[in-house]
Amino acid sequence: MSTSTAALTQYENILVDRHDAVAVVRLNRPKVLNALSPQLMAELTQAMAELDADPAIRAIVLTGSERAFAAGADIKEMADASLVEMVYRDMIGVWDRLRQVKKPLIAAVSGFALGGGCEVAMMCDFIVASETAVFGQPEINLGVIPGAGGTQRLTRLLGKSLAMDMILTGRNLKAPEALAHGLVSRVFPVESYLDEAIALAKDIASKGPMALRVAKEAVNKAFETSLTEGLEAERQRFYMLFATEDQKEGMRAFLDKRPPQFTGR
Ligand code: HXC
């Protein structure tokens, strides 16, 4: 790890560390390959909300272990549930809170990212992977389908043909294939993937926080609206940034041939 770390709130199923303005949230149920139990997801979404509200944090990395980012929702916890129990538990409603994170959120995936693990990775803004990463939606082999966005996000990210192939057969994609098809943005050696992800997050954390926030909103619009609406949303945000000190600082620093100092104002 490249910098010293200081623990934030203690949780049972996740670890939270700070590296300057970057928070690293690590899924931590190693015995079950970070299976995403309701308690883990409650802790994860609470930690994300706290970090999102913490002005000292400007970017977040979500990771697991070298062996597993997460091997899916906890099968033991839901195997015997009835339909009514599943509806009242609304576990996916809790998972969905990850969409509310406004700061840049990077998934750093090594090993298995299966089922709900793949879905949580895809809820992040982008995914970087180690060479050993394996992505898949094997729910079909359990008699179910992806339930936390897999059928929607995988299809938008990879296209219908490959998404159908993966979801109907349960086959996995290894890191090089995931890179080739745009599911991940970068692949690093397993020894350094987390340090690389943290370095990437630090680079992002050095940019203007308001510009980052609206950039994320604008890119996410591309998933949800028509091109015309998305272009309008982008244009309004672009003009809006001229009301920020960071826009003045960024452009002035370029003209002065010096690095910008962004404050988030
Ligand atoms: C509960 C799990 C688990 C899971 C692994 N384990 N995945 N427990 N839920 N999703 C446990 C195993 O039971 C085992 O516990 C221990 O972790 C180690 O796993 P092994 O299977 O022994 O390891 P290995 O042989 O290396 O195989 C790794 C694996 C396999 C290929 C990842 O574990 C696997 O297929 N896991 C399930 C993947 C999956 O189907 N995910 C989708 C879940 S449904 P013990 O006690 O035996 O040591 C889903 C729906 C999401 O995600 C819907 C949205 C909410």
Side-chain angles (χ1 to χ4, degrees):
M1 208 122 316
S2 50
T3 53
S4 65
T5 63
L8 288 173
T9 317
Q10 289 298 310
Y11 297 96
E12 279 176 40
N13 297 279
I14 61 170
L15 300 168
V16 182
D17 292 312
R18 282 167 191 262
H19 302 245
D20 304 328
V22 172
V24 177
V25 179
R26 187 191 284 267
L27 306 173
N28 189 36
R29 296 183 77 206
K31 286 188 186 145
V32 288
L33 307 182
N34 295 333
L36 303 167
S37 63
Q39 194 191 339
L40 182 150
M41 289 307 296
E43 291 181 9
L44 176 61
T45 50
Q46 188 191 327
M48 286 296 173
E50 283 174 11
L51 294 166
D52 211 26
D54 182 343
I57 295 299
R58 292 196 179 182
I60 306 168
V61 174
L62 176 61
T63 194
S65 66
E66 259 180 43
R67 184 164 175 227
F69 177 76
D74 192 319
I75 298 169
K76 216 185 250 179
E77 298 258 8
M78 61 183 166
D80 296 324
S82 69
L83 179 152
V84 171
E85 281 165 350
M86 288 302 281
V87 169
Y88 282 129
R89 275 185 205 173
D90 189 27
M91 66 190 241
I92 299 165
V94 174
W95 292 40
D96 207 41
R97 289 181 202 152
L98 289 177
R99 292 175 73 193
Q100 293 165 12
V101 176
K102 294 188 171 57
K103 289 176 183 166
L105 174 56
I106 303 166
V109 173
S110 182
F112 299 112
L114 301 180
C118 187
E119 291 174 308
V120 165
M122 289 190 291
M123 286 179 195
C124 298
D125 296 323
F126 63 98
I127 306 173
V128 300
S130 87
E131 287 162 338
T132 65
V134 174
F135 298 87
Q137 300 288 165
E139 288 91 341
I140 203 77
N141 298 322
L142 300 170
V144 291
I145 65 169
T151 63
Q152 304 306 298
R153 292 196 179 94
L154 208 60
T155 306
R156 287 166 196 230
L157 290 169
L158 302 180
K160 180 182 167 189
S161 193
L162 185 53
M164 278 286 191
D165 178 345
M166 290 174 69
I167 290 167
L168 300 188
T169 67
R171 91 166 164 100
N172 296 335
L173 283 193
K174 292 184 175 163
E177 216 180 343
L179 181 65
H181 290 284
L183 179 58
V184 309
S185 68
R186 309 189 197 197
V187 175
F188 299 110
V190 68
E191 305 76 39
S192 61
Y193 80 98
L194 186 53
D195 284 341
E196 295 280 7
I198 293 169
L200 185 53
K202 282 190 176 175
D203 179 36
I204 291 173
S206 72
K207 320 285 186 196
M210 185 60 77
L212 289 171
R213 180 172 170 146
V214 300
K216 174 169 170 164
E217 285 170 5
V219 173
N220 281 333
K221 282 276 178 207
F223 269 98
E224 306 203 352
T225 56
S226 67
L227 181 61
T228 301
E229 280 176 69
L231 290 172
E232 183 56 31
E234 178 192 75
R235 185 176 316 174
Q236 286 169 6
R237 284 171 174 76
F238 177 76
Y239 292 149
M240 183 271 272
L241 287 168
F242 284 74
T244 65
E245 291 175 18
D246 281 349
Q247 174 270 326
K248 300 285 174 286
E249 166 63 9
M251 293 192 179
R252 178 52 54 201
F254 174 82
L255 296 173
D256 293 348
K257 302 189 190 302
R258 61 172 174 82
Q261 293 293 329
F262 293 121
T263 60
R265 286 192 291 275

